[in-house]
Amino acid sequence: MKKTLLAAGVAAMMMGATPVMAKTLVYCSEGSPEGFDPAIYTTGTTFDATSETVFNMLVQFKPGTTELEPAIAKSWEVSDDGLSVTFHLRDDVKFQTTDFFTPSRPLNADDVIWSFERQMDKDNPYYKLANGNFEYFNAMSMGELIKSIEKVDDHTVKFVLTEPNAPFLANLAMPFAAIHSQEYEQQLIDEGKPQQANQQPIGTGPFQFVAYREDAAIRYQANPDYFRGKQPIDNLVFAITPDAQVRYQKLMAGECQVMPFPNPSDVQAMKKNDEIKVLQEPGLNVAYLAYNTQQKPFDQPEVRRALNMAINKQAIIDAVFQGAGEVAKNPIPPTMWSYNDAVKDDPYDPEKAKQMLADAGVKNLKMDIWAMPVQRPYMPNARRAAELMQADLAKVGVDVNIVTYEWGEYLKRASAVDRKGAVILGWTGDNGDPDNFMGTLLSCAGVGGANRSQWCYKPFDDLIQQARTLDDQAERAKLYEKAQVIFKQQAPWDTLAHSTVFMPIRKEVTGYVINPLGLHSFEGVDIQE
């Protein structure tokens, strides 16, 4: 009880006056959101602060699984030919009432249509505001897939597709498909400040946005009109704490009740602490080093494979992950269907790597390796990983310069087609479908966006595009297995690791479920007094 009250006191300082009996949960988040419009971004840090709190999608994943269940849509039907999906909306979903917006009506079909048109209609003010840079929407070719969106009535919406698309429903459970208020955003357009939607979001979710103090804290309140009922906790605070050791100290002191991404070296001590519960599971993730395949000499597969063979990935697992992970050989994790275990990884062989570089005419190579400034589920310490790569590559005559930027800027610059060198990044699956890895991260449509290797290779792209159109999972799996063979031959990435995910929470927290998709949701979470 004492430590819970301490956390509430810390939260009260962040939030101003708080009723004495109100329950406050403090989440020590690892970084600042890039903004509050989930359609524009791709990072879990931003989704935790937006789609997992403020917004809902038409469909969602059942907590702790990749199984679809209803959300704003209470039911749906797919036509026999797979070319249309009709959603029946709940009639009791209200947009949040805040100090800056009061809705005049509940959610209806107009809001659903608006939420997708803002990402696909070049005349829409929000499309123009984002310069069309909706990474997920574009990387999955949603604009080409969706032929039209039809309003059948106020609570029925029909998506007409240009071709059958197996992952379409699961894709609509992803954060980019969050449902926005047409009324709110039209009001902002009329007032000449449409950008405010990315600063003061309005959604239908379990928590409503109150305030953000940049790089310090975000505060939310339970949405009293939430269609599933008001949450057990009254106030939710994201205390932005980039340093994992500081997050751990705050968790121990009761200044926060939940923290992500502990240092692997701290996990065993956490497990021995009676005040802390450590949830864990194999991560649906991959960490990788993406070469810019449009820049010399990284445009040569032989050079990329040589660099891969110069890097000791097991040493990275041992030193950076403290053994809490495994070496990756494919762009999808072993827990995902269609994983091709027959693929052979490039061996760690510095001498052969040196010879391959010489055969390719590469001498005195200088290259940048970009290291993320934040911890992610798939990479506990990118700087340390980059240092190990730097030492390994020096042994084969490659001079590495380590580069980093603030997280939002890092992601933006990493997407540039003219980016130099290779970038450390990773991915946690969004929907349990292989297309979410191979399609989003490696398709031709993703070049200049989520495809940070800038790799467009038609034999690979043809396979993943064909796989999207099939209903039979076994047939789709065969295509993805072939695609993984091509990926390994072409080596746009050095696949580094699949991590084990640990989630420390204080013992008084109940109802928290670790998310296999790497996000952090506080719906249904409570604090025992």
Side-chain angles (χ1 to χ4, degrees), residues 285-287 313 327-334 338-345 481 484-485 487-488 493 495-498:
N285 62 38
V286 63
K313 295 193 288 189
V327 168
K329 64 180 181 180
N330 287 322
I332 62 174
S338 83
Y339 181 82
N340 190 346
D341 198 36
V343 167
K344 300 296 183 185
D345 202 9
E481 288 167 9
Q484 289 166 73
V485 173
F487 167 88
K488 205 65 189 178
W493 300 349
T495 47
L496 300 174
H498 306 295

Side-chain angles (χ1 to χ4, degrees), residues 184-448:
Y184 173 56
E185 295 187 350
Q186 186 60 58
Q187 175 183 304
L188 294 179
I189 292 167
D190 294 343
E191 294 171 353
K193 50 182 183 181
Q195 69 281 357
Q196 188 169 308
N198 196 25
Q199 301 159 7
Q200 293 181 308
I202 289 289
T204 59
F207 297 95
Q208 56 194 49
F209 175 86
V210 176
Y212 172 44
R213 201 165 80 226
E214 189 172 0
D215 297 331
I218 316 168
R219 69 182 179 108
Y220 307 88
Q221 291 176 345
N223 176 5
D225 298 321
Y226 187 46
F227 62 87
R228 292 195 186 97
K230 181 188 170 297
Q231 296 302 296
I233 54 175
D234 302 288
N235 303 299
L236 174 64
V237 176
F238 280 32
I240 298 166
T241 314
D243 187 287
Q245 192 61 43
V246 176
R247 292 199 297 275
Y248 182 19
Q249 292 169 0
K250 287 184 176 182
L251 188 75
M252 291 280 289
E255 293 178 17
C256 62
Q257 288 86 25
V258 180
M259 67 162 282
F261 318 134
N263 284 326
S265 57
D266 291 332
V267 170
Q268 289 307 312
M270 290 178 174
K271 288 181 176 181
K272 294 177 182 178
N273 189 320
D274 292 339
E275 298 295 310
I276 296 173
K277 296 181 287 186
V278 180
L279 310 180
Q280 73 177 77
E281 67 176 26
L284 192 72
N285 62 38
V286 63
Y288 59 83
L289 179 72
Y291 303 105
N292 187 339
T293 62
Q294 296 195 25
Q295 300 291 319
K296 292 184 179 300
F298 310 108
D299 57 340
Q300 301 177 58
E302 297 81 5
V303 171
R304 301 192 295 261
R305 292 190 67 188
L307 297 174
N308 289 355
M309 293 169 67
I311 294 172
N312 186 344
K313 295 193 288 189
Q314 186 59 53
I316 293 174
I317 295 293
D318 295 342
V320 177
F321 292 80
Q322 301 284 305
E326 60 181 295
V327 168
K329 64 180 181 180
N330 287 322
I332 62 174
T335 52
M336 178 167 279
W337 62 269
S338 83
Y339 181 82
N340 190 346
D341 198 36
V343 167
K344 300 296 183 185
D345 202 9
D346 291 318
Y348 172 55
D349 191 339
E351 289 305 314
K352 187 173 181 181
K354 191 182 299 185
Q355 184 60 53
M356 288 175 69
L357 290 173
D359 291 345
V362 175
K363 298 178 181 179
N364 303 317
L365 176 61
K366 297 180 184 295
M367 66 177 288
D368 290 342
I369 287 183
W370 294 33
M372 299 179 299
V374 296
Q375 290 174 290
R376 304 304 305 140
Y378 48 75
M379 177 54 69
N381 189 333
R383 178 78 192 195
R384 180 62 181 138
E387 290 169 350
L388 292 170
M389 294 179 198
Q390 182 183 49
D392 285 341
L393 290 167
K395 296 173 186 175
V396 298
V398 177
D399 184 7
V400 170
N401 176 48
I402 298 174
V403 174
T404 195
Y405 297 94
E406 178 273 328
W407 186 218
E409 188 68 14
Y410 184 96
L411 292 166
K412 180 180 177 181
R413 290 178 179 240
S415 292
V417 175
D418 61 353
R419 185 203 78 234
K420 304 299 182 184
V423 58
I424 297 175
L425 267 172
W427 196 257
T428 298
D430 294 293
N431 59 16
D433 194 290
D435 179 73
N436 180 243
F437 284 78
M438 288 186 271
T440 304
L441 304 178
L442 294 160
S443 69
C444 292
V447 170

Side-chain angles (χ1 to χ4, degrees), residues 446-518:
V447 170
N451 183 343
R452 264 75 183 202
S453 59
Q454 317 303 340
W455 182 62
C456 177
Y457 190 64
K458 192 173 186 301
F460 177 91
D461 206 62
D462 287 348
L463 287 170
I464 61 172
Q465 297 300 335
Q466 183 184 354
R468 287 174 172 170
T469 67
L470 303 179
D471 285 330
D472 188 299
Q473 188 176 103
E475 291 302 312
R476 293 184 72 207
K478 290 177 184 177
L479 296 177
Y480 290 129
E481 288 167 9
K482 291 178 181 178
Q484 289 166 73
V485 173
I486 293 173
F487 167 88
K488 205 65 189 178
Q489 292 168 345
Q490 292 293 309
W493 300 349
D494 187 5
T495 47
L496 300 174
H498 306 295
S499 75
T500 301
V501 175
F502 299 101
M503 196 69 196
I505 63 176
R506 290 193 59 80
K507 67 177 183 180
E508 58 264 28
V509 175
T510 62
Y512 185 89
V513 178
I514 194 167
N515 187 331
L517 304 175

